[in-house]
Amino acid sequence: MILALELNNALLQEMITYVDQHVPLEACGLLAGKESRVEKIVGVLNQAQSPVRFVMDPYEQLHAFNWIESNGLDLVGIFHSHPTGPETVSATDIAEAAYAVVHVILSRSDNEWKARGFWIEDGSAHEVTLQIIE
Ligand SMILES: [Zn+2]
């Protein structure tokens, strides 16, 4: 478990732009980087095409993993959006979390996006600080 995930403001804005383009559907993707620092956002098709859940398209997800590996990076997080909230991970998110990485939730309220990070392990979630750097 890590306590903080670092990403720069440009990457945060890129992630927000990506999920905003998919409203009203949930959007998802991978965060690639090193240790606790995000260096690249990789969007993955939401196979569920749903406003309330996401399932990463397995083919695109495999492609994304290959890209991450061939660029010498690691999977440091997974992001997905909650276009109508909540800000936190849902019971489904906790039940379906397949990777021990930070789960970033981008939630929207009054057209404003907010990002929060969570570590999910053994059926529970703990908040992880998102350190936004310039
Ligand atoms: Zn969710």
Side-chain angles (χ1 to χ4, degrees):
M1 158 170 180
I2 66 165
L3 299 174
L5 186 69
E6 192 177 281
L7 76 163
N8 69 31
N9 193 44
L11 286 171
L12 175 64
Q13 295 311 318
E14 187 183 329
M15 197 160 44
I16 287 172
T17 300
Y18 180 80
V19 299
D20 196 56
Q21 285 167 344
H22 292 81
V23 170
L25 303 178
E26 284 198 13
C28 53
L30 306 178
L31 303 175
K34 280 287 172 194
E35 293 171 5
S36 60
R37 184 187 173 104
V38 180
E39 294 180 21
K40 177 83 180 171
I41 309 289
V42 190
V44 173
L45 177 71
N46 179 4
Q47 193 183 50
Q49 293 289 295
S50 161
V52 291
R53 63 179 276 121
F54 78 99
V55 177
M56 286 198 193
D57 178 87
Y59 183 76
E60 283 203 8
Q61 190 179 7
L62 183 65
H63 249 266
F65 274 124
N66 287 342
W67 185 92
I68 290 168
E69 196 179 343
S70 64
N71 281 273
L73 299 173
D74 298 316
L75 179 72
V76 297
I78 288 175
F79 72 92
H80 75 274
S81 62
H82 287 170
T84 54
E87 288 182 12
T88 56
V89 285
S90 66
T92 306
D93 293 334
I94 292 172
E96 295 183 351
Y99 301 96
V101 294
V102 177
H103 292 253
V104 172
I105 303 295
L106 293 136
S107 60
R108 193 178 67 141
S109 170
D110 295 330
N111 273 318
E112 286 284 323
W113 287 97
K114 181 170 186 174
R116 285 174 67 178
F118 300 88
W119 185 270
I120 301 172
E121 197 168 2
D122 297 332
S124 60
H126 304 275
E127 185 143 20
V128 171
T129 303
L130 295 182
Q131 281 178 338
I132 312 301
I133 53 174
E134 287 308 313

